[in-house]
Amino acid sequence: MKKSHKYVFVIGGVMSGVGKGIAVSSIGTLLTAKGYKVNLVKVDPYLNVDAGTMHPTEHGEVFVLDSGLETDQDMGNYERFLGRDLTSDDYITSGMVYKYVIDKERSLGYGGKCVDAKQIRDEIVRRIEHAAKVNKSDISIIEIGGTIGDYQNVMFMEAARVFKTYHSKDVVFMMVSYLPTPGSIGEMKTRPTQNAERQLASYGINTDFIIGRASTPIDKKRKEKIASACNIRPERVISAPDIKSIYDVPVNFEKDHLAEQLLEAMELPKTKTDKSFKAWTNMAKGIKNHKGKEVHIGVVGKYFNTGDFILSDAYLSVLEAIKFSAYAAGVKAVIHTVNSRDFENENSKSKAVIDFSSLDKFDGIIVPGGFGETGIEGKLNVIRYARENKIPYFGLCYGMQLMTIEYARNVLGLAGSQTAEIDPKAPHLIIDFMPDQKKKIAEGNYGGSMRLGLYPTKLSKDTVAYSAYDLAEKIGKGNVIQERHRHRYEVNPKYIERLEKGGLVFSGRSPDGHLMEIAELPTSVHPFFLGTQFHPEFLARPLSPHPLFTAFMKAARSKAKERPEVAEQE
Ligand code: GLN
């Protein structure tokens, strides 16, 4: 008999932002370690067709898949926790679904039927089933974006309900809820969770599991209370207290036997946890309690401020990639967020009045990806400071383009070097439109139209980049590596020769040799000064840190060792 595919729907109760995505990711880690092939699906209620058109302070980082689909940061967590690449089919937005249904209606795809919300619901169902097929997985875990009660995700709730009627024995529901402990009362309250369960029932869905997020573990008494009020077994109320590191969540779930409980609910064999989970546990411990030397990394960006709050969500994958490589380099990363605007002045040209001394405490500086003009002169000033003062520097996408502009301005002496993104009429367009991009912008075609996803880069031997990838055994046939991209602009081919003559090395290029993918300075000139046109952070995984981040962290480690005021701890 054909083994049936299992589906776990995960729905948020009480409030958002309590770590539903991490819960989903962690279940993925656990079931994978039990020997099951798992795919994780995110359904997002917004009408943007993909996340690429949203501002990072609005919705966090835009994460890019191999396929080039621009998704939200949850997909990044999913891939990091699963340790494998997901497909475009694993990401579903209302925008995609509505667009598909309306386009189909316009081409008479529904054969004259009245098209309404039912077609939307059925299209969601079709996509979830299709993702399972494409992944050839045993279990799909589907996270419904938003919280129970949102009017925005009603169609997804309805799709989840009807899914159970189509696959009655193969669907399990899970609610990730929040249990507050108000300071004035001093007791953990279960009522909001009970109410959320009631609200869920009003959609025709009864949950099988409740993950209770709270500041402390849920005690037996409260587990029993929730279980009896919500018609579930007490052992299926899983405690998810606040913890220091997200990588501990699977470890904590394992303590509550969540995977076993789930397998039982899905009527799947309760297989043993394999060796991969031991490696995971060690990594989680290592990242959290690392006793190694502290290495201070400044991440210079502009997407940190939202209202009165500072958020690092916009650079999530970068921050995680630093942590994995710090662990690999045997050091503890202390990450500082730096607002690039602090390094520019009114007319943003004169360097004299800017105080750079705060950068001296860094053992390494990263300028991550970005768009537009804000904060650019500040970033260029910081890059110059890092180059001249031999602070290890790592530029990611925009960070690589700016490093090339800085080099052209201050080493080659090409005043007015610029990117066409800021001033297409600048005297020296060191960074220019990629050939096919100009037309797209002129037509206002912004959505999903950048150079996106996985592309090959050919590495030159005897370079910093080559050694890093070589050490990690990532170099394929023909000295080629594969990385994910998201950009419209590139190093202008007209300036390559001059830049190289001036000392900048393009150690990675597209295999046809036209597009500059990695720029660097030789180690004889600078301990680490390297930028990538691609986004290495999208392929950094906890159990396989990214080779370039690791090389950067090692250079930062050497710099940290030079600092006399810090006692040696290794
Ligand atoms: N804005 C630059 C470009 O479009 C860099 C993009 C990025 O950093 N992701 O080319």
Side-chain angles (χ1 to χ4, degrees):
M1 201 183 85
K2 201 178 150 286
K3 219 174 51 177
S4 56
H5 187 92
K6 305 291 178 181
Y7 299 90
V8 182
F9 282 88
V10 180
I11 301 162
V14 178
M15 67 185 205
S16 68
V18 294
K20 190 159 34 100
I22 297 299
V24 167
S25 306
S26 301
I27 298 165
T29 309
L30 286 174
L31 292 175
T32 304
K34 292 268 181 204
Y36 289 94
K37 182 156 187 208
V38 182
N39 72 304
L40 304 179
V41 180
K42 175 81 192 282
V43 290
D44 257 329
Y46 51 74
L47 276 172
N48 302 62
V49 173
D50 57 48
T53 51
M54 276 186 273
H55 198 277
T57 51
E58 186 74 20
H59 198 75
E61 163 187 87
V62 177
F63 187 83
V64 181
L65 302 180
D66 272 0
S67 64
L69 184 70
E70 296 167 288
T71 71
D72 86 346
Q73 59 192 27
D74 279 322
M75 294 301 280
N77 280 325
Y78 291 179
E79 286 199 340
R80 287 189 281 271
F81 276 70
L82 276 189
R84 74 177 180 85
D85 306 324
L86 289 169
T87 72
S88 296
D89 299 288
D90 296 302
Y91 191 64
I92 305 171
T93 68
S94 293
M96 281 178 195
V97 173
Y98 278 83
K99 188 172 185 309
Y100 176 89
V101 170
I102 291 169
D103 286 349
K104 186 167 166 182
E105 183 278 327
R106 289 289 82 185
S107 55
L108 292 182
Y110 293 101
K113 266 203 210 125
C114 168
V115 180
D116 64 15
K118 182 177 175 296
Q119 277 72 20
I120 299 287
R121 179 194 75 186
D122 291 349
E123 177 57 18
I124 298 167
V125 169
R126 186 190 72 79
R127 283 178 185 244
I128 294 169
E129 289 170 341
H130 182 67
K133 254 187 234 137
V134 170
N135 279 280
K136 296 194 180 72
S137 57
D138 307 308
I139 306 167
S140 302
I141 307 175
I142 305 108
E143 176 184 351
I144 299 188
T147 310
I148 302 163
D150 292 354
Y151 67 87
Q152 290 96 331
N153 62 13
V154 167
M155 295 312 295
F156 292 124
M157 300 298 244
E158 171 57 9
R161 181 199 66 80
V162 82
F163 215 96
K164 178 95 177 171
T165 69
Y166 297 157
H167 304 266
S168 57
K169 283 209 159 58
D170 300 320
V171 174
V172 167
F173 291 113
M174 182 178 274
M175 180 171 81
V176 179
S177 186
Y178 186 71
L179 291 95
T181 308
S184 53
I185 305 175
E187 186 197 343
M188 188 184 286
K189 303 306 279 179
T190 63
R191 184 78 71 217
T193 297
Q194 296 180 36
N195 286 339
E197 163 62 15
R198 234 162 253 150
Q199 207 170 3
L200 187 60
S202 73
Y203 290 102
I205 297 173
N206 295 104
T207 197
D208 303 290
F209 285 81
I210 290 180
I211 308 243
R213 286 279 299 108
S215 51
T216 53
I218 309 172
D219 60 4
K220 192 159 167 272
K221 188 169 165 206
R222 260 149 276 263
K223 277 192 180 177
E224 280 165 0
K225 207 165 166 184
I226 296 170
S228 106
C230 303
N231 299 322
I232 58 175
R233 297 189 212 160
E235 61 273 24
R236 293 189 180 174
V237 178
I238 308 291
S239 182
D242 287 349
I243 38 178
K244 241 165 87 185
S245 159
I246 54 171
Y247 302 105
D248 267 339
V249 176
V251 184
N252 262 16
F253 281 175
E254 180 71 350
K255 283 186 199 146
D256 262 0
H257 308 289
L258 174 56
E260 259 179 49
Q261 286 293 331
L262 257 172
L263 292 175
E264 190 183 296
M266 294 187 285
E267 296 177 8
L268 287 173
K270 287 193 200 172
T271 44
K272 281 216 167 66
T273 305
D274 68 19
K275 280 202 306 258
S276 69
F277 197 62
K278 186 89 200 113
W280 182 277
T281 312
N282 289 341
M283 174 277 299
K285 242 192 246 156
I287 287 186
K288 195 177 53 178
N289 302 325
H290 206 277
K291 298 280 184 294
K293 193 174 192 67
E294 284 194 348
V295 169
H296 294 265
I297 304 296
V299 178
V300 186
K302 64 166 181 174
Y303 300 130
F304 290 123
N305 299 25
T306 133
D308 287 342
F309 298 91
I310 305 234
L311 267 188
S312 35
D313 267 17
Y315 304 109
L316 189 66
S317 295
V318 176
L319 305 189
E320 298 310 300
I322 296 172
K323 287 181 206 161
F324 309 150
S325 283
Y327 176 56
V331 294
K332 183 176 174 55
V334 184
I335 301 173
H336 305 258
T337 54
V338 180
N339 193 331
S340 53
R341 275 169 279 190
D342 293 346
F343 295 91
E344 41 191 46
N345 49 29
E346 292 297 274
N347 65 23
S348 69
K349 292 283 184 291
S350 103
K351 197 179 148 217
V353 291
I354 304 168
D355 179 13
F356 287 97
S357 60
S358 62
L359 298 176
D360 292 334
K361 66 172 178 287
F362 297 137
D363 304 307
I365 290 176
I366 292 184
V367 173
F371 294 85
E373 192 173 359
T374 330
I376 289 313
E377 289 301 322
K379 286 185 186 177
L380 285 163
N381 287 337
V382 170
I383 297 169
R384 178 179 194 167
Y385 193 81
R387 184 176 54 73
E388 291 177 347
N389 292 281
K390 304 217 186 316
I391 304 172
Y393 170 77
F394 193 14
L396 313 174
C397 203
Y398 215 1
M400 176 264 203
Q401 297 174 353
L402 294 172
M403 134 187 184
T404 313
I405 294 171
E406 188 279 319
Y407 204 78
R409 279 190 195 178
N410 303 319
V411 180
L412 305 194
L414 301 176
S417 290
Q418 195 45 288
T419 162
E421 183 168 353
I422 295 178
D423 179 10
K425 295 201 171 68
H428 294 289
L429 280 185
I430 304 296
I431 305 296
D432 202 358
F433 273 107
M434 300 186 63
D436 57 335
Q437 287 293 336
K438 220 173 194 156
K439 194 165 157 265
K440 290 183 185 172
I441 296 298
E443 289 165 354
N445 170 16
Y446 288 101
S449 64
M450 284 185 245
R451 178 171 180 257
L452 292 165
L454 208 64
Y455 285 96
T457 292
K458 191 177 167 66
L459 299 174
S460 309
K461 285 207 163 146
D462 302 319
T463 57
V464 176
Y466 192 97
S467 322
Y469 282 101
D470 197 27
L471 197 67
E473 296 175 9
K474 293 271 184 203
I475 303 182
K477 238 174 106 201
N479 295 334
V480 164
I481 49 126
Q482 303 278 345
E483 293 283 357
R484 294 184 184 169
H485 296 70
R486 182 172 187 245
H487 64 119
R488 266 187 223 291
Y489 303 86
E490 61 165 338
V491 177
N492 187 344
K494 283 186 208 139
Y495 285 92
I496 291 167
E497 218 184 298
R498 281 160 86 176
L499 286 160
E500 288 212 301
K501 271 205 185 110
L504 196 63
V505 177
F506 290 107
S507 52
R509 297 169 190 236
S510 56
D512 64 9
H514 293 328
L515 195 124
M516 301 304 106
E517 291 274 14
I518 310 176
E520 61 177 76
L521 283 179
T523 44
S524 54
V525 179
H526 194 287
F528 192 97
F529 192 74
L530 185 144
T532 59
Q533 184 57 80
F534 50 79
H535 289 270
E537 69 272 23
F538 292 151
L539 287 179
R541 308 265 161 88
L543 297 183
S544 55
H546 194 282
L548 290 179
F549 273 93
T550 305
F552 167 70
M553 287 309 295
K554 284 182 179 167
R557 180 183 67 190
S558 303
K559 170 106 173 50
K561 278 186 181 159
E562 283 166 19
R563 246 190 300 109
E565 73 271 25
V566 178
E568 203 58 67
Q569 292 172 24
E570 280 176 301

